[in-house]
Amino acid sequence: MRSALLIIDIQESFRRRPSWVAVTDPGIAATVQPLIDDARKRGDLVVWILHTEPGTGNPFDPVNGHIRYLDGLEPRAGEPELVKTSANAFTTTGLQQLLTTEGIRHLIVTGIQTEWCCETTTRVACDLGYDVTFVTEATATFPIPHVDERDLPYEEILASPRTLPAAEVVARTEYALNGRFATVATVKEVLAR
């Protein structure tokens, strides 16, 4: 069965935010690369997805020039590239149509942020009937500030006892997804399939 590897939002925009100092995997591009190489070798579809927030003035606003893949990641000619404006990779793109056209029913999810765009895409994919493998170690995320503290300077967010540590964010995502919306797997397990 042919699969699709989704590379979600592994983009420069995140490196431009103060939270990058606390990212779970600053080398996420290198972590994902073996999955890309394997997908290409197997003839699987590699789908590149970028997130934009036009008109916001933030690092996800296209006018600021940060809507590009992190260094080390590069699509090959013919690999689909989608641009989204929603948390999941389906709602504002033609992803479902692409997967249907290609006859793909199995997705492998990687990207940034673990609990946000990656998890949301996984949940929508499951609802749409796809079999999903969620490769947690090929995702990255950040500590989450308490809702009342989101506007604090980032150093204070990191120091706050109310901030949810990234390791807890990842664990919660795995608990929520595994066996319900997806199969959680390691890079090694995906490469050994």
Side-chain angles (χ1 to χ4, degrees):
M1 173 175 66
R2 191 168 178 231
S3 299
L5 174 66
L6 304 186
I7 303 163
I8 301 171
D9 306 345
I10 304 180
Q11 65 191 75
E12 182 65 22
S13 309
F14 283 105
R15 285 185 3 94
R16 301 300 171 149
R17 293 169 55 188
S19 59
W20 188 257
V21 300
V23 69
T24 55
D25 183 3
I28 184 74
T31 302
V32 171
Q33 191 61 55
L35 295 170
I36 296 169
D37 295 341
D38 182 65
R40 288 171 174 163
K41 182 178 78 180
R42 291 175 177 274
D44 287 344
L45 186 65
V46 179
V47 182
W48 300 82
I49 302 158
L50 291 169
H51 183 79
T52 64
E53 297 174 4
T56 61
N58 71 29
F60 294 89
D61 190 328
V63 301
N64 291 320
H66 307 305
I67 310 298
R68 62 181 184 280
Y69 308 106
L70 289 180
D71 288 345
L73 294 180
E74 188 173 333
R76 283 191 179 163
E79 291 177 341
E81 296 182 70
L82 306 174
V83 177
K84 65 182 181 63
T85 56
S86 62
N88 77 78
F90 287 93
T91 303
T92 58
T93 71
L95 178 58
Q96 186 176 8
Q97 294 83 351
L98 171 67
L99 298 172
T100 299
T101 300
E102 295 288 332
I104 291 172
R105 302 302 310 155
H106 176 246
L107 308 180
I108 301 168
V109 173
T110 69
I112 304 175
Q113 287 181 237
T114 306
E115 80 291 353
W116 201 334
C117 295
C118 297
E119 181 177 337
T120 305
T121 297
T122 297
R123 288 172 179 261
V124 171
C126 179
D127 281 350
L128 293 172
Y130 293 96
D131 179 35
V132 184
T133 301
F134 191 90
V135 190
T136 311
E137 72 179 301
T139 68
T141 197
F142 312 89
I144 299 176
H146 186 275
V147 67
D148 295 338
E149 297 180 346
R150 288 186 180 156
D151 295 329
L152 292 176
Y154 202 68
E155 303 79 35
E156 292 180 38
I157 288 172
L158 290 177
S160 173
R162 297 172 79 187
T163 295
L164 187 64
E168 290 183 33
V169 173
V170 171
R172 189 218 53 87
T173 296
E174 287 185 337
Y175 271 88
L177 294 181
N178 201 20
R180 297 163 81 192
F181 297 96
T183 299
V184 173
T186 64
V187 170
K188 184 177 180 181
E189 288 168 339
V190 172
L191 296 178
R193 66 190 162 111

